[in-house]
Amino acid sequence: MNNSMFRLPEAYNEPIKTYVPGSPERQFLEQELDRQMGQEIQIPLIINGKAVHTAEKGKVRCPHDHEQVLATFSKAGDKEVRRVIEAALAAKPAWEEMPWQERASIFLKAADLISHKYTYLLNAATMLSQSKNVFQAEIDATCELVDFLRFNVQFMAEIYSNQPLSEKGFWNRIEYRPLEGFVFALTPFNFTAIAGNLCAAPAMMGNTVVWKPSFAAVLSGYYIMKILKEAGLPDGVINFTPGKGSDIGRIVLSDENLAGIHFTGSTKVFQALWQKVGENIATYKSFPRMVGETGGKDYIFMHSSADIEPVVTAAVRGAFEYQGQKCSACSRLYLPRSRWTEFKRKLEKDVMSIRTGSVLEYGNFVNSVIDENAFDTIDGFINRAETSDQTEIILGGNRDKSKGYFVEPTVILAHDPYYESMVEEIFGPVLTLYIYEDEDLENTLSILDNTSIYALTGAIFAQDRQAIIHIMTRLVHTAGNFYINDKPTGAVVGQQPFGGARKSGTNDKAGSPLNLARWISPRTIKETFL
Ligand code: NAD
């Protein structure tokens, strides 16, 4: 019986476990790390809830120790991709008919399973296969994923409760239908939480999903699928399809039932997807929703009135946490000449105290970058900076891929504000500084504004309130997430809805009602009584 206005449990941010030595959580995590390192599991595709193994395989390796294999996974071929689409379409009628509070219950249960029963499973998989240290894994694979699930359920209910006015003699209603067709979720390597959310958000709104995870995050993705199944997600609602992006895309993007794309990844890939959708636009039954959160070239702008200590802390954490492999990572920093000497002294001290190495040693703040391609790209940027007459490498710069893909935190001083490492997304632990003359503030703000194609995150540091007001106004279009006296990373679901503009994406703010609204196609109903 469905005849109550149910009250949902109130969403709250998942508390962060500290993993201090001797704590029970540390002990449980270590057991789980040992367990996962002592096995090599087989990861199938999951089509309509069934495991499907294929002949073409890939390996999941530890980026910090590339000889260590954690799993072998199946890759989808054309036949499997077609089956996945069929499965998503077949599961749709029953799923969209399921009362919304029952769907809510499945995702709330998944949140609790991750928060309690499977926190060590997901954190360990994220540490080992994506090379995140324990603290980064905890805030991602447990806290952010749980937050997405809990808050989105609340936002879903808010959307559904939004109803139009009715005059006497009529009743106007809005029914929030899911999209007609299936949603294609393409997820990046760098956040387990984003991968889970890109599938779960459209599914929560009654859609069915073809999910293509990143090769580098297949292990954590596979465990998310198992958790969702245990939480009661019906077969076929989310279908797990590792495989080569362009091969899967070729079939999925030419299917007439494609109703939307939920993407997070690089700008170039999203542009290519959009282009394909444009070419096929007459094929589709509807106009596919395009939601993509993409690259960044995120900045800190320091004003001469700023306190030094917080700027340095923000720069170090913003640039080097998770090896700079966050879309929001601080990768360019503008400093006033009058504060340079003080800043440099403190920066040197902080950067030199950072330890780089395996995730298994908890004191290592910086771990490995994700794979050899990433290593080689970063290596190229550092190589060119070493030989350019426009730059000096003032800290770090060592790198070594013999055992794992390790790049030391590196700080480049650029004499040209348009030097390539001030402009392009590097996605590694490389921070570039540019020193501006204090009296050249206005011009430097213009340079900052037009340096990069991206507009994801940015931070200003100043104590002078007039300066804050002025800079914030001047930089209005440079960032979708803007911070005052704080680092430009670490957005929390429910508190700082996340997304950027320009070439950083469609800015649909993951983990907010704005994003969920993209996965519905409302039907307005007017009934006349007389
Ligand atoms: P990526 O673009 O290489 O891959 C993203 C997904 O697209 C993966 O699943 C990949 O396999 C797939 N893919 C790649 N080529 C494809 C193709 N031709 N057709 C179909 N699918 C294809 O990104 P990545 O390296 O996994 O992640 C890093 C990027 O993601 C960075 O640019 C980063 O800034 C961005 N990112 C953005 C946000 C945000 O919220 N704005 C968050 C996280 C990451």
Side-chain angles (χ1 to χ4, degrees):
M1 196 178 288
N2 182 16
N3 54 5
S4 295
M5 310 291 274
F6 298 100
R7 186 182 300 155
L8 287 168
E10 201 167 321
Y12 58 95
N13 289 115
E14 177 72 5
I16 302 172
K17 296 185 283 301
T18 58
Y19 294 93
V20 292
S23 60
E25 66 255 26
R26 186 137 166 178
Q27 193 193 337
F28 292 133
L29 180 73
E30 274 166 9
Q31 283 167 5
E32 182 59 23
L33 286 166
D34 285 344
R35 193 185 70 84
Q36 291 193 24
M37 284 191 299
Q39 61 182 13
E40 184 181 328
I41 62 164
Q42 299 292 317
I43 301 180
L45 316 178
I46 301 177
I47 308 177
N48 194 27
K50 311 290 172 305
V52 174
H53 296 271
T54 61
E56 212 193 327
K57 306 281 189 202
K59 297 265 182 216
V60 178
R61 295 171 184 276
C62 294
H64 44 271
D65 182 2
H66 36 65
E67 291 302 302
Q68 167 93 48
V69 176
L70 301 165
T72 299
F73 63 93
S74 287
K75 295 185 186 176
D78 291 5
K79 187 175 74 174
E80 290 79 25
V81 178
R82 292 200 178 89
R83 278 179 63 192
V84 164
I85 295 172
E86 278 164 24
L89 292 172
K92 183 76 189 305
W95 180 241
E96 71 176 16
E97 280 304 313
M98 185 183 277
W100 71 265
Q101 63 275 5
E102 306 305 327
R103 294 200 311 266
S105 176
I106 290 169
F107 291 104
L108 289 173
K109 176 164 180 172
D112 271 13
L113 286 172
I114 296 165
S115 160
H116 299 286
K117 190 170 169 189
Y118 294 120
T119 181
Y120 306 111
L121 175 88
L122 265 190
N123 283 358
T126 302
M127 288 173 72
L128 294 172
S129 68
Q130 289 143 267
S131 207
K132 280 200 174 187
N133 65 39
V134 59
F135 310 107
Q136 294 297 310
E138 165 75 8
I139 58 172
D140 167 18
T142 294
C143 300
E144 189 169 323
L145 182 51
V146 165
D147 288 354
F148 274 133
L149 294 168
R150 290 198 184 123
F151 277 90
N152 275 347
V153 163
Q154 186 173 296
F155 299 142
M156 168 176 70
E158 283 168 18
I159 289 174
Y160 289 166
S161 66
N162 198 352
Q163 292 295 319
L165 297 175
S166 299
E167 291 192 352
K168 280 182 188 156
F170 306 112
W171 187 12
N172 297 320
R173 284 175 275 166
I174 294 188
E175 187 178 52
Y176 292 98
R177 303 172 302 183
L179 307 180
E180 207 178 356
F182 67 89
V183 172
F184 187 25
L186 293 118
T187 61
F189 78 83
N190 68 334
F191 271 89
T192 301
I194 292 177
N197 181 50
L198 294 194
C199 317
M204 200 178 275
M205 303 309 283
N207 298 281
T208 53
V209 178
V210 171
W211 175 17
K212 199 216 85 58
S214 163
F215 282 148
V218 169
L219 185 64
S220 51
Y222 176 57
Y223 288 136
I224 289 173
M225 285 298 293
K226 292 183 85 127
I227 293 167
L228 287 170
K229 182 158 177 109
E230 185 171 331
L233 191 74
D235 292 346
V237 172
I238 297 176
N239 299 279
F240 184 66
T241 326
K244 191 161 176 237
S246 49
D247 290 350
I248 296 179
R250 184 170 37 76
I251 296 173
V252 172
L253 301 178
S254 57
D255 193 287
E256 61 177 3
N257 294 299
L258 178 72
I261 292 185
H262 204 190
F263 176 84
T264 295
S266 60
T267 298
K268 277 212 165 75
V269 172
F270 190 51
Q271 284 170 332
L273 295 170
W274 198 305
Q275 198 163 11
K276 260 283 157 265
V277 166
E279 284 166 21
N280 292 338
I281 198 71
T283 309
Y284 307 124
K285 290 182 181 161
S286 50
F287 292 97
R289 299 284 165 87
M290 300 295 292
V291 177
E293 302 307 332
T294 57
K297 189 68 196 171
D298 312 292
Y299 63 85
I300 290 179
F301 187 90
M302 177 182 165
H303 183 254
S304 55
S305 67
D307 289 343
I308 289 285
E309 187 109 6
V311 191
V312 174
T313 305
V316 170
R317 292 192 54 196
F320 303 130
E321 276 179 356
Y322 192 38
Q323 298 75 264
Q325 299 173 118
K326 296 188 184 185
C327 50
S328 55
C330 171
S331 61
R332 50 184 172 135
L333 201 158
Y334 299 82
L335 292 161
R337 169 86 57 202
S338 60
R339 310 295 302 280
W340 168 229
T341 314
E342 256 177 293
F343 179 89
K344 189 175 177 204
R345 202 178 312 122
K346 170 97 180 91
L347 182 75
E348 276 170 359
K349 189 166 153 271
D350 282 17
V351 174
M352 282 158 72
S353 71
I354 293 176
R355 281 170 39 198
T356 302
S358 166
V359 295
L360 298 174
E361 283 167 43
Y362 293 14
N364 292 331
F365 179 82
V366 166
N367 313 107
S368 157
V369 299
I370 195 71
D371 58 21
E372 190 163 17
N373 270 344
F375 180 93
D376 291 347
T377 304
I378 300 161
D379 182 57
F381 275 99
I382 299 176
N383 261 322
R384 292 189 292 281
E386 279 168 344
T387 52
S388 166
D389 57 5
Q390 290 302 316
T391 54
E392 291 162 52
I393 296 192
I394 58 171
L395 289 167
N398 294 317
R399 59 267 188 209
D400 178 0
K401 63 176 175 180
S402 52
K403 183 171 164 65
Y405 305 109
F406 293 110
V407 180
E408 233 180 26
T410 300
V411 182
I412 300 173
L413 180 63
H415 304 304
D416 172 2
Y418 297 108
Y419 179 72
E420 65 166 11
S421 65
M422 290 292 287
V423 177
E424 289 172 35
E425 184 178 50
I426 301 173
F427 229 56
V430 179
L431 169 67
T432 306
L433 312 179
Y434 174 72
I435 301 170
Y436 67 90
E437 304 305 326
D438 293 46
E439 58 281 10
D440 206 19
L441 177 78
E442 292 308 313
N443 184 38
T444 312
L445 291 173
S446 300
I447 289 171
L448 186 159
D449 192 7
N450 66 32
T451 291
S452 151
I453 59 168
Y454 302 109
L456 189 50
T457 75
I460 57 166
F461 282 79
Q463 291 307 315
D464 176 340
R465 184 46 63 172
Q466 288 300 349
I468 293 174
I469 296 167
H470 176 65
I471 297 170
M472 193 159 72
T473 310
R474 277 293 304 273
L475 299 181
V476 64
H477 290 296
T478 60
N481 280 59
F482 190 80
Y483 296 80
I484 302 169
N485 293 325
D486 203 345
K487 66 185 166 63
T489 57
V492 175
V493 178
Q495 298 192 38
Q496 298 98 24
F498 191 77
R502 294 183 181 165
K503 293 279 191 328
S504 288
T506 51
N507 200 10
D508 289 295
K509 298 292 186 210
S512 85
L514 295 173
N515 177 284
L516 295 186
R518 300 300 308 274
W519 310 116
I520 50 177
S521 177
R523 175 164 79 153
T524 302
I525 301 164
K526 176 185 175 188
E527 183 175 350
T528 304
F529 293 137
L530 293 175

